[in-house]
Amino acid sequence: MASTNPAAALADDPMIEVEGLNKWYGDFHVLRDIDLTVAKGERIVICGPSGSGKSTLIRCLNHLEEHQQGRIVVDGVTMTQDVKRIEQIRRNVGMVFQHFNLFPHLSVLDNCCISQTWVQKKPRAEAEKTAMEFLERVRIADQARKYPGQLSGGQQQRVAIARALCMRPEVMLFDEPTSALDPEMIKEVLDVMVELARDGMTMLCVTHEMGFAKTVADRVIFMDQGQIIEQAPPETFFNHPESDRTKLFLSQIL
Ligand code: ADP
Ligand code: MG
């Protein structure tokens, strides 16, 4: 099985290091001996069958899930139970979820300002300026005064991306950001993600959008039953998958 890491050469200055990560939900061993090094600026797509542990893995990276064994280091900070450390890591890590998770009772602008004013203690005017800058970037600044419920799914997801970017993270984690969208809205969200990738953001994206993987990923990782089964640059991954499990998965989704 291939698990060579093409980023190893770049990884003198890693953004994320995961070593010997194991996690259980009760008796269920959900992540098994995960080793993963992500270089600064690297773009990774994680795919694999439902239930293979993709969400759990990326949620461990900002301590939305707690792991039991192994080491996680994000931008030089080792994850512990210490709240200050966790906060320090979370400041560097933006997360975008399948179901947007915007605050429904706050306007688009307020969704983008609240963490800046509460967590970063920025003055409101400065927070608004940053919010508008990122809302422009995801091409939705004209909707800033609306509430999430007044927007389409694609628009809400672009707001969620802008909201994460307002915290100026070093890494962006995406967990199936287009899976809950109607087909006609997928492209507007992927376009924003492609731009972000081109701007050099370090990205880990759980997605089954293989066109996106081919366009922007430096490395595609295939997970099954809590393990990394195979990882390779997209050309190799799609054209010459090694594992039978990868081949089966690709035959089902392509
Ligand atoms: P994926 O994102 O690849 O679909 P998940 O990481 O969500 O997979 O889940 C991996 C496995 O862990 C699944 O079998 C799922 O049912 C189980 N699981 C996920 N979250 C929990 C939880 N909070 N408690 C118990 N089991 C969970
Ligand atoms: Mg998932």
Side-chain angles (χ1 to χ4, degrees), residues 10-24:
L10 300 169
D12 299 340
D13 192 16
M15 183 66 81
I16 296 174
E17 285 176 278
V18 174
E19 220 176 69
L21 177 66
N22 281 277
K23 173 173 176 59
W24 289 260

Side-chain angles (χ1 to χ4, degrees), residues 26-187:
D27 291 339
F28 179 61
H29 197 174
V30 60
L31 294 177
R32 298 165 180 260
D33 301 321
I34 302 281
D35 293 317
L36 174 65
T37 302
V38 182
K40 288 200 169 129
E42 200 183 4
R43 290 139 311 188
I44 291 186
V45 162
I46 303 175
C47 61
S50 177
S52 56
K54 307 179 298 295
S55 295
T56 304
L57 171 59
I58 64 167
R59 290 168 66 87
C60 282
L61 300 178
N62 62 356
H63 208 269
L64 289 177
E65 295 288 350
E66 201 169 290
H67 65 285
Q68 284 83 41
Q69 268 180 21
R71 202 168 74 101
I72 297 176
V73 185
V74 180
D75 205 11
V77 182
T78 304
M79 183 82 75
T80 63
Q81 305 301 326
D82 180 58
V83 178
K84 288 239 156 19
R85 290 262 182 131
I86 294 169
E87 282 173 1
Q88 195 183 351
I89 288 177
R90 285 190 182 155
R91 270 199 294 276
N92 287 333
V93 180
M95 177 120 188
V96 175
F97 303 89
Q98 184 175 359
H99 294 290
F100 330 134
N101 299 13
L102 296 171
F103 299 112
H105 59 292
L106 296 182
S107 70
V108 163
L109 183 63
D110 287 342
N111 263 279
C112 291
C113 287
I114 188 160
S115 290
Q116 296 189 71
T117 51
W118 279 82
V119 180
Q120 296 181 324
K121 315 285 183 212
K122 276 198 208 167
R124 172 76 193 187
E126 197 185 318
E128 275 193 24
K129 186 164 170 284
T130 302
M132 291 310 294
E133 192 183 306
F134 285 107
L135 288 169
E136 295 278 354
R137 224 168 121 187
V138 302
R139 293 180 287 280
I140 201 154
D142 55 332
Q143 311 287 321
R145 303 282 164 192
K146 288 198 178 161
Y147 286 82
Q150 298 172 294
L151 303 182
S152 72
Q155 290 175 320
Q156 289 186 57
Q157 193 59 300
R158 285 187 284 138
V159 171
I161 294 171
R163 180 178 63 173
L165 293 174
C166 282
M167 302 301 281
R168 302 194 186 275
E170 298 286 335
V171 186
M172 286 284 284
L173 308 176
F174 292 86
D175 193 358
E176 303 208 33
T178 60
S179 298
L181 299 178
D182 292 331
E184 71 272 21
M185 291 169 194
I186 291 176
K187 185 170 178 297

Side-chain angles (χ1 to χ4, degrees), residues 45 198 209-218 220 233-235 237-239 250 254:
V45 162
R198 299 222 159 112
E209 292 293 334
M210 293 301 142
F212 174 78
K214 287 174 187 169
T215 314
V216 307
D218 298 300
V220 183
E235 318 82 75
F237 183 82
F238 291 109
N239 298 324
L250 289 174
L254 290 179

